[in-house]
Amino acid sequence: MADRHAGPGQTQRPARPTILGPAFLSRFHEHSPNPTQLSGFLALMITGGVLFLLTGITVTATVLGLIFFTPLIFVSSPVWVPVGAVLFFSVASFLCLCGFGVTATAVMSWMYRYLRGFHPPGSDRVDYARSRLADTASHVKDYAREYGGYWHRKAKDAAPGA
């Protein structure tokens, strides 16, 4: 009641627009989807509904299959466990073999491109490692020449007739 009778210094609220007024309709038309968005939404809803229906049918069939075939699975499990183990190891070894084959093919392809001078990715690191190995080998060779003679002279000093 206090809202209807505003006293001095109080302001009244503006009148609320009616639900079907022109401001509401213009705002509704601004935010309404265009026909492409509407057809996309309908297609999404139909596809989602069909997929949910198929999911429900699949779950129902799985549960019913387990109910009916569980006794048969338990009775024949002494046969299925070894067969499953053999199949598992066969498939695992085949996949491992395929993975090793792909890896070997990739390595051979990289080496071919490297040796032909095409500079495949990572070849700069291989060149750097090769130069480091060559430098280390030359340092070891120089060290052996320098100190190998030292030990040879020491051996002659220890046994002059040798």
Side-chain angles (χ1 to χ4, degrees), residues 38-57:
L38 186 62
S39 63
F41 180 72
L42 287 175
L44 177 70
M45 293 305 291
I46 291 170
T47 306
V50 168
L51 288 176
F52 276 131
L53 177 71
L54 289 175
T55 302
I57 291 171

Side-chain angles (χ1 to χ4, degrees), residues 69-80:
F69 291 115
T70 299
L72 180 66
I73 291 171
F74 281 140
V75 169
S76 63
S77 66
V79 174
W80 289 109

Side-chain angles (χ1 to χ4, degrees), residues 46-114:
I46 291 170
T47 306
V50 168
L51 288 176
F52 276 131
L53 177 71
L54 289 175
T55 302
I57 291 171
T58 303
V59 168
T60 304
T62 302
V63 168
L64 288 176
L66 282 175
I67 289 171
F68 290 126
F69 291 115
T70 299
L72 180 66
I73 291 171
F74 281 140
V75 169
S76 63
S77 66
V79 174
W80 289 109
V81 170
V83 169
V86 168
L87 284 176
F88 172 76
F89 286 115
S90 299
V91 169
S93 62
F94 177 73
L95 291 176
C96 188
L97 177 70
C98 290
F100 288 150
V102 167
T103 302
T105 304
V107 167
M108 294 302 286
S109 170
W110 187 91
M111 287 177 57
Y112 174 76
R113 287 184 287 153
Y114 179 74

Side-chain angles (χ1 to χ4, degrees), residues 84-152:
V86 168
L87 284 176
F88 172 76
F89 286 115
S90 299
V91 169
S93 62
F94 177 73
L95 291 176
C96 188
L97 177 70
C98 290
F100 288 150
V102 167
T103 302
T105 304
V107 167
M108 294 302 286
S109 170
W110 187 91
M111 287 177 57
Y112 174 76
R113 287 184 287 153
Y114 179 74
L115 295 175
R116 292 289 300 223
F118 292 135
H119 301 292
S123 63
D124 53 344
R125 295 175 73 185
V126 172
D127 292 336
Y128 176 72
R130 184 172 34 162
S131 68
R132 289 282 309 261
L133 283 172
D135 289 343
T136 304
S138 69
H139 290 309
V140 168
K141 187 172 89 173
D142 293 341
Y143 185 80
R145 278 191 188 152
E146 184 178 333
Y147 291 105
Y150 171 77
W151 289 111
H152 185 67

